[in-house]
Amino acid sequence: MRYKNYVWPHNPRVYSISYKRKVGAREVPFGHYTLQDLGPSYRIMRGEGEFVGEGAYAEFKKLATVFYNEGPGLLVHPVWQTANAYFVELSLSQEPRADYVKYTFTFWEEFGGHSTGTKVLSPAGGTAGGSAQAGSTGAQWYTVVRGDTLWGIARRYGVELQALIALNPQIKNPNLIYPGQKVRVA
């Protein structure tokens, strides 16, 4: 499992996803009411895990550091659909020891989920991460730098995530890209 730049040394033991739907209730005369479906809300992703062995508490501190970073990030899990999410809760489940830490976590999916469809113009005069280059066929390529995700690259270049994946059939696992790798962005 990965969130922003943190990769769990092993996946958490327990995890669940809750889907919510907002419903409005309005009272009408004679003790009756009517319900209005206001649509789906954010997904809540919860779990619990353990860090075991030498350096377990140091590993928890790394995770806590990621928790304190502001803003959403890409949450990649081998079972869940990749989602742009906020890290909203991190708790110790027992008194930490140097060799064992049990913890729980909660993520809330950002509005729009894993593909917002939002078009974002690339920064004038360059990009915030790696470099983009035009190929001889008119295709534009981006060189991945540490911390990049396909979702972030898609957002930076104003491309739908699914379209970016389709442009890059050489990437077998869209959740796993490496620094120095070339990604076609146009």
Side-chain angles (χ1 to χ4, degrees), residues 16-177:
S16 65
I17 301 178
S18 300
Y19 296 85
K20 290 189 167 209
R21 176 173 295 279
K22 291 188 178 189
V23 176
R26 182 178 179 144
E27 290 184 25
V28 293
F30 308 110
H32 296 285
Y33 61 91
T34 183
L35 297 177
Q36 180 182 6
D37 186 347
L38 300 173
S41 184
Y42 56 89
R43 290 188 303 171
I44 300 173
M45 294 156 268
R46 291 186 174 94
E48 71 179 54
E50 304 165 317
F51 295 124
V52 180
E54 188 177 327
Y57 189 66
E59 192 65 36
F60 177 79
K61 289 194 315 188
K62 286 184 203 173
L63 181 59
T65 300
V66 174
F67 173 79
Y68 285 112
N69 292 336
E70 292 183 9
L74 194 64
L75 177 63
V76 179
H77 188 276
V79 177
W80 296 335
Q81 181 178 35
T82 300
N84 198 38
Y86 285 88
F87 196 169
V88 297
E89 182 180 1
L90 179 63
S91 303
L92 285 168
S93 299
Q94 96 313 318
E95 186 174 333
R97 299 186 328 229
D99 64 341
Y100 180 80
V101 175
K102 185 175 180 183
Y103 63 93
T104 61
F105 60 86
T106 304
F107 290 93
W108 287 1
E109 182 178 39
E110 181 185 36
F111 178 76
H114 67 282
S115 177
T116 62
T118 304
K119 297 288 185 186
V120 178
L121 300 174
S122 58
T127 63
S131 59
Q133 301 169 345
S136 59
T137 62
Q140 271 196 310
W141 295 84
Y142 173 80
T143 304
V144 175
V145 297
R146 188 172 190 263
D148 275 339
T149 62
L150 279 183
W151 184 88
I153 294 168
R155 192 169 82 172
R156 184 178 303 141
Y157 286 91
V159 178
E160 292 274 345
L161 179 60
Q162 295 304 324
L164 186 67
I165 291 169
L167 280 172
N168 292 280
Q170 78 280 11
I171 299 174
K172 301 301 179 204
N173 181 351
N175 297 325
L176 190 60
I177 58 175

